Amino acid sequence: MRVGLFGGSFNPIHLGHLRAAEEVREALQLDLVYFIPAASPPHKAEGDLAPAEHRLALVRVATKGNRHFMTSDVEIRRAGRSYTIDTVRYFLATLRQPATLYLLMGADQFAELDSWKEPEELARLCNFAVHTRLTEGQDGPPRISVAALKRFGYTQADDHYVHSSGQTLSFVETTFLPISATEIRGKLHHGESIRYLVPIDVVDYIKRHALY
């Protein structure tokens, strides 16, 4: 099994998240992608977050109908800050059959990897799949310094990088959809439509529960 782990606040989940996950899944031939809403994201203020149980429900309604997409409540059930290293260890310990894990993240998240909890151990335990969005004037994946690669034990090999443990770091170019959760919350605050930015079932759920 090739399993992707896609964490985030998903506040709310939108089409940019879903399309990036689908394109990474296809490019890396993943069998499943688990969407994992964070209960308490270490890098974000909690004041703007919708309640965790609602963000989990939004992810569930957004991903239904795709047999490759799953939802996990592991970080919501776990007390304290939602650290990715703990989530990776959980999946390694509990998946019913041996699996190769791919941690999905955006280029902006990857750029902050040094500030994550136990980043060296994280690089040792799982593969990284960084989804990039080419914009005007950009002709390739984000540049990362040789020093940064050596810092985490990577060497270049073909179209990806290989960690000293054998795990890989891949950059997957995905369709650029200029959608942000901040923008969506802003539109909701001003009574504007968010249709075609999020799945229609997400629109209905947000309205029904008066979120944001």
Side-chain angles (χ1 to χ4, degrees):
M1 288 281 286
R2 295 163 67 87
V3 176
L5 305 180
F6 191 10
S9 56
F10 299 118
N11 189 44
I13 190 169
H14 54 69
L15 295 181
H17 295 130
L18 295 165
R19 186 60 199 173
E22 178 69 358
E23 292 185 10
V24 172
R25 181 199 66 76
E26 188 172 49
L28 298 182
Q29 299 180 324
L30 305 182
D31 298 292
L32 296 173
V33 174
Y34 281 87
F35 287 72
I36 311 166
S40 179
H43 293 87
K44 291 190 177 181
E46 296 187 32
D48 294 333
L49 287 177
E53 63 271 18
H54 285 305
R55 289 184 287 111
L56 177 67
L58 288 171
V59 170
R60 282 178 172 152
V61 299
T63 57
K64 69 179 183 181
N66 187 329
R67 64 186 180 86
H68 299 289
F69 286 177
M70 309 293 286
T71 304
S72 172
D73 63 355
V74 60
E75 293 191 354
I76 289 175
R77 288 187 286 106
R78 190 170 63 227
R81 288 287 190 181
S82 302
Y83 292 113
T84 301
I85 185 66
D86 297 330
T87 300
V88 168
R89 286 172 173 148
Y90 169 84
F91 275 92
L92 287 173
T94 60
L95 285 173
R96 294 182 180 179
Q97 56 182 297
T100 302
L101 294 186
Y102 291 79
L103 185 61
L104 278 62
M105 68 180 72
D108 53 345
Q109 294 171 301
F110 181 73
E112 298 177 349
L113 188 63
D114 231 353
S115 68
W116 291 27
K117 182 181 179 183
E118 300 182 47
E120 296 91 347
E121 182 67 4
L122 197 58
R124 190 186 69 81
L125 290 179
C126 64
N127 302 285
F128 285 2
V130 180
H131 50 93
T132 65
R133 302 171 181 177
L134 292 188
T135 57
E136 186 177 354
Q138 184 181 337
D139 58 2
R143 296 177 182 271
I144 50 178
S145 69
V146 174
L149 289 171
K150 290 182 177 178
R151 161 81 167 76
F152 291 105
Y154 289 105
T155 55
Q156 190 167 7
D158 298 325
D159 60 345
H160 58 264
Y161 298 87
V162 180
H163 189 263
S164 55
S165 66
Q167 307 289 358
T168 61
L169 162 63
S170 301
F171 292 96
V172 181
E173 181 186 336
T174 57
T175 302
F176 177 56
L177 297 178
I179 304 172
S180 75
T182 301
E183 173 195 11
I184 291 168
R185 295 194 303 272
K187 286 183 177 297
L188 289 166
H189 180 74
H190 291 99
E192 300 174 2
S193 171
I194 60 168
R195 291 194 71 176
Y196 313 117
L197 297 175
V198 302
I200 189 61
D201 288 344
V202 169
V203 176
D204 293 341
Y205 186 98
I206 288 173
K207 287 182 177 179
R208 188 162 66 250
H209 295 274
L211 300 180
Y212 307 110

